[in-house]
Amino acid sequence: MNWSSWAEFFAMGGYGVYVWGSYAVTFACVIGEILLISKRRRTLVKRYGLIHDSVTEDTEKTSDTKEISDGQRDFK
Amino acid sequence: MAINWYKYAAPASFYSLAGKMIPFFTIIAFGLLVAGLYIGFFVAPTDFQQGEAYRIIFIHVPAAWMSMFLYVVMAFWAGIGLAFNTRLSSMMATAIAPTGALFTFLALWTGSLWGKPMWGTWWVWDARLTSELILLFLYIGFMSLQAAIDDPRRADKAGAIIALVGVINIPIIYFSVQWWNTLHQGASVSVTQAPTMASTMLTGMMVMVFASWMYAIAVILKRVRVIILERESNTAWVAELRRKGAF
Amino acid sequence: MFFWVIQRDLLLAIRRRSDVLTTLFFFVIVVSLFPLSVGPEMNMLRTMAPGIVWVAALLASMLSLGRLFSNDYMDGTLEQMLLSPQSLSVLVLGKALAHWLVTGVPLVLMAPILGIQYDLPMDALFVLTISLLLGTPVLSLIGAIGAALTLGLRGGGVLISLLVLPLYIPVLIFGSGAVEANMAGVGHEAHLSLLGAFLLVSLVFAPWAAASSLRVSME
Amino acid sequence: MFFWVIQRDLLLAIRRRSDVLTTLFFFVIVVSLFPLSVGPEMNMLRTMAPGIVWVAALLASMLSLGRLFSNDYMDGTLEQMLLSPQSLSVLVLGKALAHWLVTGVPLVLMAPILGIQYDLPMDALFVLTISLLLGTPVLSLIGAIGAALTLGLRGGGVLISLLVLPLYIPVLIFGSGAVEANMAGVGHEAHLSLLGAFLLVSLVFAPWAAASSLRVSME
Amino acid sequence: MLHGVNLTCVRGDRRLFKEVNFTLEAGGLMQVNGPNGSGKTSLLRILCGLTSPALGKITWRGETVRALDGQYYRDLTYIGHLTGTKDDLTALENLRISSALSGVQVTEKQARDALAYMGLVGRELLPAKVLSQGQRRRVALARLLVCNTTLWILDEPLAALDVAAVKLIQDLLEQHLQEGGMVVMTTHQDIDIAAVSTVQLQLA
Amino acid sequence: MLHGVNLTCVRGDRRLFKEVNFTLEAGGLMQVNGPNGSGKTSLLRILCGLTSPALGKITWRGETVRALDGQYYRDLTYIGHLTGTKDDLTALENLRISSALSGVQVTEKQARDALAYMGLVGRELLPAKVLSQGQRRRVALARLLVCNTTLWILDEPLAALDVAAVKLIQDLLEQHLQEGGMVVMTTHQDIDIAAVSTVQLQLA
Ligand code: HEM
Ligand SMILES: Nc1ncnc2c1ncn2[C@@H]1O[C@H](COP(=O)(O)OP(=O)(O)OP(=O)(O)O)[C@@H](O)[C@H]1O
Ligand SMILES: Nc1ncnc2c1ncn2[C@@H]1O[C@H](COP(=O)(O)OP(=O)(O)OP(=O)(O)O)[C@@H](O)[C@H]1O
Ligand SMILES: [Mg+2]
Ligand SMILES: [Mg+2]
């Protein structure tokens, strides 16, 4: 065992800033990466949840003729 | 529905396979990480030249190795995707890039933090450092190009071309930088290495390298699953998943 | 109106995040090229650093000028802006400000990190950042005049440089001068207050000049 | 066919003389900015000279890349080229060569004059010119890949830089290295022959890679 | 209200038209006809004040257009060959922002309705660059629905539009004219628009 | 000669058309009809091999188009929404160079004749940027007169053209069809072209 106390451990022989700076940023990045992927996935799943009901219509969407005639409702 | 099942089969089955593999790699990565950190901080002795600062090695070297290794893997998958038009391999390449860039950044970051106490400066224009910096640019170029293109098919192919051109260039860059630097002999410092590395140090380092690999695999699989979902959103099998709510 | 312009340009920039990032990385890459080309001696690099960072900032800001009006021009939006009841100068000021937010601010934030690569002392890093903070908006404002004048001319991209670089020179001299003065221990206040003066003057005159240039270019 | 492409691009360049001139002036201005920004010490400037000239050449050549395909893309000519019975690689080679003739050659001719400004010895001037003569075509060829990949992407101009600059680095290192080696009395032959090798390799591969990129971009 | 007096347009060494005079009253439609290259676009740009005529002047409510500036532009909507549609913005954003730039704030609801009227339901959130030629023009023309200007100057508004859309535009113009608006337009297609008064201006 | 088999086109998350089949023989005209955004342009680009279809294939003289490449392109002339007219080149240079790029060398005399036929006498030496919208399209269409390809694919060739020019193009197409050529075209205008056989392809 190299360390006689926690303080010594955190001091890292005077190089604490450098050593812990490296490790802290590394773990921050790793955790950040994981969180970002999870977030990307959650937004995706949420979006799918929203269009859940329109699945059939969504996959069968072929052209817009119908939509155009729908669209001709009075405006002004 | 005239959707070609053959084409969609691969990502669909890979999606669930990857889902099963992720926990496995995550657990191994975590175990190795704990072991590596334990060896690194509590078993490995103090270096007689560098004091405790050398303990940065346990993340610096894995990060530096992974950064280079992942680039090659990325270019490989991208090339396969370009040559055989297999979408899954292109998605793999896309998924690898951010992790590769992350490791490159970490190599630079930890290297700088190591350099300050050892060399007295955050940065020198040393050959190895410079080529690592260029590697970061290559990753970023790949990612920005893909981000700038909306059509995924085009993004895959364009990314593949730049990745392959980059991979041809990496040795050229590496050697030219080496030559540029040594010809000049300006900077008196270079990456110094502990003369004889204690075997526990080496063990700790290698354990951390394996931990990084496992982590990279897990995280890349996780990302590739999201990418598959995004890209295949209008296929029957995703619709099926959606109906069941079983992502 | 003014805010609509800024909001619109920022929206476009967000939609195209890569634009912002690529200007930034262009800056980073140019700064990193010099050691490769000049050689790695630290002492020499340190002396060159303020000059290089400033020249790179200037080039990065200049290169993105092309986009300031040309997209709006090509798709006819600019015609619509000329036909807008609002004052054109205000529109131009909005566009220049959005340009600075999108290209200038990231450079300012990035500069200290690059300074570290050149081993600049803490003090000098601070002055470098301040000088860029005062100087880059001037670049965007003056650049707007150049962009307006070269609108629709083929090869505009490089023509802008030609028109605008001479006007950038004072900013460059005082910007890098401030850092060098600081490193030489001479005091950088005079330089910085001159930069501030440039900023005020260009805030007042540049939008108006750019608006007139736009009208000329669109005839 | 090949010659038609070159002829056409040269014709366009002549019709738009300003393009050629502005690339050249950009080069001149960047080189001349440095003494302003770094300070006037002659010894230091002399050491920096090859590096600066090379970086400026690289930036000048890079900036004009945007135009390599984008005009043809926007007005539909490129579509026609893809539908041409001729091999696309040959067309691309033609365009890259025309680009070099229009942007590279003037730089090569201008470089010695700028070298004199930095007080480079005769010998070094000669090596500088030769290194540019070998290196600039490589820049145009590699640049063609970047230009093809970023075609039609907004912010393409700066994205090109990002893609292409890392690939330019070896050319930069050996180009400026040749001059520095000569000035240090070490001998520049190795550098120059490496530059020659780069040229050959890129002559063979770049048109092909750029042609594939074009097909991808036009999908 | 809109008068053109003695307008002459010279492009290069060619005089496209000379001494063009016209008067357009409330509810009036002016159709500018002529073969390709006869100067229709040039005339329309002159009317907008984007180019100045070689001779002659334009007045709006009795005052010279050049002197009015902002005042005139508050009454004017111009849609030319180029439509000012941003590739990267969605149809909805394009409409809202282009309206805002011409001084009209449009709520999301209004903008959606306008797009729906133009037959773009389901396309509101697509970036304009993936829209078809005709859809892009529809987005541009949707501005006519949300602006409340008197004078519309339209350069070939029907280009690239399909039959249904042509009918829509025709209705829209007729309604605008009925309400006392004014329209200046060019087109190579046959179209019959009912107006209080119609001026047919034939160029060369 | 030109067969489309089971063509399906997907853009974004939308399927524009599916299972489109057609056969075009010598002398045949195919008119692709459909409202804005129905996928006409997309189909034409697929026929040219500029985009690949999601499913299905195209054969030319019995061979798949992707495999033919240069061979196919020797028989094909495509004129799309964008015409490839260079702003800085004169009409004459534009015509000669665009022909040369598609593999046909045109003498100055031939080019002048073609431009004259398209009604551009006196405009040959003007740079394209000063030409009117319709004149630019005429320059682009002049290529049809000098190329000697069999298959013409034209996306809204009549856009921006005046009545006289529409007649010219109609005659030109009829002559080409008479001589055994093939034409695939879209248009929103009414036009009646006599052909050995006419396929009307209605999209959605
Ligand atoms: C920003 C600064 C740095 C960067 C970018 C960097 C980059 C790299 C790279 C790319 C490698 C892998 C090279 C290979 O395996 O061939 C590496 C390995 C290594 N680096 Fe660094 N480094 C930096 C700073 C430092 C510092 C300051 C030290 C120690 C004083 C150091 C010590 C090491 C050691 C011991 C290895 C392992 C060597 C080997 O495997 O042969 N590095 N570094
Ligand atoms: N510099 C110049 N020299 C000679 N003629 C010129 C010059 N600039 C423009 N022109 C001519 O001016 C005319 C411009 O026409 P304009 O664009 O107004 O036509 P248009 O009536 O809108 O035609 P279209 O129906 O084709 O849109 C063209 O005939 C063009 O040839
Ligand atoms: N990424 C996307 N997401 C959804 N829809 C898309 C996407 N890209 C293209 N589209 C749709 O594809 C269609 C493209 O149509 P295309 O240009 O082929 O139409 P067209 O028949 O030529 O119409 P026009 O008559 O207006 O020229 C448009 O309806 C467009 O909205
Ligand atoms: Mg017109
Ligand atoms: Mg179309």
Side-chain angles (χ1 to χ4, degrees), chain D:
Chain D
M1 187 61 192
F2 178 63
F3 293 105
W4 266 101
V5 173
I6 298 190
Q7 187 186 332
R8 189 191 72 120
D9 281 18
L10 292 184
L11 184 65
L12 278 169
I14 292 169
R15 220 32 76 72
R16 280 283 176 188
R17 226 151 327 176
S18 60
D19 272 13
V20 185
L21 291 178
T22 42
T23 313
L24 189 59
F25 281 117
F26 175 82
F27 177 61
V28 175
I29 290 183
V30 171
V31 173
S32 319
L33 277 183
F34 273 91
L36 292 177
S37 161
V38 170
E41 277 151 282
M42 252 316 159
N43 262 331
M44 191 162 122
L45 286 181
R46 199 178 305 120
T47 346
M48 291 169 56
I52 289 177
V53 172
W54 256 98
V55 169
L58 195 149
L59 293 176
S61 151
M62 197 186 70
L63 291 190
S64 52
L65 283 180
R67 268 172 296 144
L68 188 52
F69 297 116
S70 72
N71 289 336
D72 284 348
Y73 172 70
M74 284 193 301
D75 63 15
T77 311
L78 207 57
E79 241 170 27
Q80 296 295 342
M81 287 190 173
L82 288 185
L83 297 183
S84 143
Q86 264 73 20
S87 146
L88 190 59
S89 307
V90 175
L91 292 182
V92 169
L93 182 62
K95 283 191 79 69
L97 244 153
H99 178 260
W100 178 66
L101 289 175
V102 171
T103 64
V105 172
L107 300 194
V108 175
L109 299 178
M110 196 69 192
I113 299 173
L114 295 175
I116 289 178
Q117 284 195 333
Y118 280 77
D119 200 24
L120 283 184
M122 226 37 190
D123 237 31
L125 283 181
F126 180 71
V127 178
L128 179 66
T129 314
I130 298 288
S131 72
L132 283 170
L133 195 63
L134 287 170
T136 45
V138 183
L139 301 184
S140 293
L141 284 163
I142 297 180
I145 305 176
L149 281 173
T150 55
L151 202 61
L153 305 180
R154 200 61 56 87
V158 199
L159 192 56
I160 289 183
S161 329
L162 190 60
L163 294 178
V164 145
L165 276 179
L167 305 180
Y168 277 0
I169 287 176
V171 182
L172 177 68
I173 288 179
F174 289 109
S176 56
V179 190
E180 279 155 17
N182 173 278
M183 282 164 73
V186 188
H188 51 258
E189 287 76 12
H191 289 91
L192 290 186
S193 40
L194 265 168
L195 277 182
F198 289 162
L199 179 55
L200 287 182
V201 172
S202 54
L203 264 177
V204 175
F205 289 109
W208 171 81
S212 329
S213 314
L214 271 187
R215 288 202 188 279
V216 169
S217 295
M218 297 291 294
E219 273 268 304

Side-chain angles (χ1 to χ4, degrees), chain E residues 40-42 81 155-156 186 188, chain F residues 132-134:
Chain E
K40 301 182 294 300
T41 299
S42 309
H81 283 304
D155 200 359
E156 301 202 28
T186 69
H188 292 297
Chain F
S132 81
Q133 207 71 5

